[in-house]
Amino acid sequence: MPTELEELVEFLHHGNTQVRQIAAENLVGYSTAQPDIFKAGQLTPVKDLKLLIKDYPPIAKNALTILVNISGDLEVLKTLAEDDAFLESLLLRITSDKEPNANEMGMLLANMAKWDSIKRLLKLKRDLPKSLSTSSNAMDQLMDCFVKGAEGRYNKNANYDYISYFLADMAKHAEGRQYFVTPRKGDNDIVPLTKLIVFTEHTSEIRRRGAASTIKNVAFDIASHPKLMSSADINILPYLLLPLMGSEDYSDEDTEGMLEECQLLPPDKQRDADAQILATHLETLLLLTTNGEGRDVLRGIKTYPIVRELHLQVNDEGVKEGCDRLVQVLMRDEEGGEKKVEEIDEDEQIIEVL
């Protein structure tokens, strides 16, 4: 005989709305305590949960929370990420300006991006949500959700912060990195990364962390370094250096050559309080020193004094180690030649909603 818990899971596809709602609500806790119960009968509960995202908002919210929590399981992740119909259902709702559960859907999409086949979104064409985007490309539409949705400016129910984690994972693919540095014909020839970099000093830690990781992953494309660093092109350097800076005073010698954006900062200027984000920016700067031209640019804009002050002011082992590695490269003689870029690691982990 099935246990009470097994019976509760079966109620996810019950014909009565109240029964489905009670079942979904009571199963949320088990999605972290006993996630394997959702894998019964060849993932039948997962199939039910995928349908429930179309249900009444309270039911859909609980179903999404459960899916977010159990999507760390590879078998569950695969069945979510490889289901084209489910993906379109998710995209249809995320891009709606009236979807009440868009944030939870963004979390789930971010987790689904851990499965490599999600990179098909880079080329996926779909109907145009006219109030959101000028592009029929799914990736462009998600970028617009993230940008226009800040502080609920597109959908009053959502800020779309977790889309930044999705973008970071997409940038781990070569095709994704090219997407971020290439002008989009369907979006007035705007380079996608220029939309994202402004969020390195946003109030949302999630946005800042996702933006930082996306920029870092894009920087693994060495051929893009000149356009990334050029003030006439993508111009990422101010957005990497300003989060590292506080209100410290620099000598005239130190400031001579600094980027204008990094000079004469207000006395209440604060550096990013998240050590992980600081470490990520340092890793990106290190990637930009891969060749001599990049090292010359960073030396010329006086990166060293900024990193020196960061090392003095922040007592975090990861940050200090990042400072040391960058300084060693910037201060060494050029006879060492080219640096080798390390393999990309996974910056964003599976998100778990408790």
Side-chain angles (χ1 to χ4, degrees):
M1 291 182 61
T3 65
E4 290 184 4
L5 185 56
E6 289 169 339
E7 289 181 345
L8 186 61
V9 172
E10 292 178 1
F11 286 148
L12 289 172
H13 55 248
H14 198 278
N16 184 289
T17 301
Q18 284 187 315
V19 173
R20 293 197 307 277
Q21 182 169 348
I22 292 170
E25 184 176 343
N26 282 279
L27 285 167
V28 169
Y30 291 102
S31 64
T32 53
Q34 293 179 240
D36 283 349
I37 65 170
F38 298 97
K39 297 176 68 175
Q42 296 183 322
L43 300 180
T44 297
V46 175
K47 296 172 186 175
D48 292 337
L49 290 164
K50 287 196 288 185
L51 292 174
L52 290 184
I53 74 164
K54 306 175 186 178
D55 214 318
Y56 293 102
I59 298 175
K61 184 181 181 70
N62 286 325
L64 285 160
T65 301
I66 293 170
L67 287 173
V68 168
N69 289 343
I70 65 176
S71 57
D73 180 279
L74 290 181
E75 192 177 359
V76 173
L77 181 59
K78 179 180 179 180
T79 195
L80 294 174
E82 294 191 350
D83 186 338
D84 287 339
F86 175 69
L87 184 59
E88 172 54 33
S89 182
L90 205 58
L91 291 172
L92 179 66
R93 287 162 176 77
I94 288 176
T95 56
S96 168
D97 60 358
K98 295 180 174 59
E99 171 55 52
N101 296 316
N103 276 343
E104 289 78 9
M105 292 176 177
M107 292 181 196
L108 181 57
L109 186 64
N111 285 358
M112 289 165 60
K114 300 296 179 186
W115 196 260
D116 283 354
S117 72
I118 285 294
K119 67 183 180 182
R120 66 189 185 276
L121 287 181
L122 291 163
K123 296 182 179 179
L124 179 65
K125 300 292 184 181
R126 55 187 309 276
D127 290 342
L128 189 68
K130 294 181 180 178
S131 63
L132 172 68
S133 181
T134 60
S135 173
S136 60
N137 176 270
M139 188 73 175
D140 290 339
Q141 293 172 11
L142 289 168
M143 277 289 296
D144 286 332
C145 274
F146 177 69
V147 174
K148 295 182 178 180
E151 289 89 32
R153 286 186 286 117
Y154 174 65
N155 178 342
K156 67 179 182 179
N157 304 298
N159 55 33
Y160 296 96
D161 284 359
Y162 280 102
I163 295 293
S164 65
Y165 284 14
F166 163 80
L167 298 174
D169 272 325
M170 296 298 278
K172 291 191 296 190
H173 304 288
E175 307 96 309
R177 293 193 284 275
Q178 284 306 304
Y179 167 84
F180 281 105
V181 299
T182 304
R184 302 295 297 167
K185 291 182 180 179
D187 192 18
N188 301 313
D189 285 330
I190 296 174
V191 178
L193 196 61
T194 62
K195 290 183 174 185
L196 182 91
I197 54 179
V198 298
F199 294 106
T200 58
E201 288 198 293
H202 194 268
T203 55
S204 166
E205 182 180 293
I206 296 167
R207 278 187 175 248
R208 299 198 312 275
R209 186 173 294 176
S213 294
T214 305
I215 297 167
K216 175 192 165 184
N217 285 342
V218 170
F220 277 93
D221 181 31
I222 301 171
S224 297
H225 285 188
K227 67 169 66 174
L228 289 174
M229 292 189 283
S230 171
S231 60
D233 211 315
I234 298 177
N235 193 32
I236 67 171
L237 291 175
Y239 301 99
L240 295 176
L241 293 173
L242 282 168
L244 307 182
M245 303 179 72
S247 58
E248 298 82 20
D249 289 326
Y250 292 92
S251 68
D252 292 341
E253 181 182 356
D254 283 342
T255 56
E256 185 178 357
M258 266 189 192
L259 296 175
E260 289 186 11
E261 296 93 334
C262 297
Q263 298 186 39
L264 301 176
L265 297 177
D268 60 348
K269 171 69 173 73
Q270 294 184 348
R271 64 175 43 83
D272 200 303
D274 188 304
Q276 180 180 338
I277 294 174
L278 294 174
T280 301
H281 288 319
L282 289 167
E283 290 166 1
T284 303
L285 290 167
L286 188 63
L287 285 170
L288 295 175
T289 67
T290 299
N291 55 45
E293 292 82 358
R295 294 192 288 274
D296 286 342
V297 169
L298 292 183
R299 290 180 184 125
I301 62 171
K302 297 298 181 69
T303 303
Y304 168 70
I306 296 172
V307 176
R308 179 193 66 207
E309 290 301 316
L310 176 63
H311 189 279
L312 289 171
Q313 299 295 330
V314 177
N315 187 25
D316 177 85
E317 185 176 341
V319 172
K320 288 187 179 295
E321 181 181 344
C323 290
D324 290 338
R325 293 172 67 195
L326 183 56
V327 167
Q328 287 173 15
V329 174
L330 293 177
M331 302 301 287
R332 75 181 183 188
D333 293 332
E334 282 301 301
E335 60 189 27
E338 298 293 311
K339 287 173 69 267
K340 180 179 179 181
V341 179
E342 300 171 1
E343 291 293 320
I344 297 177
D345 57 1
E346 292 199 4
D347 294 291
E348 302 303 337
Q349 300 302 312
I350 290 288
I351 306 160
E352 184 173 277
V353 182
L354 300 178

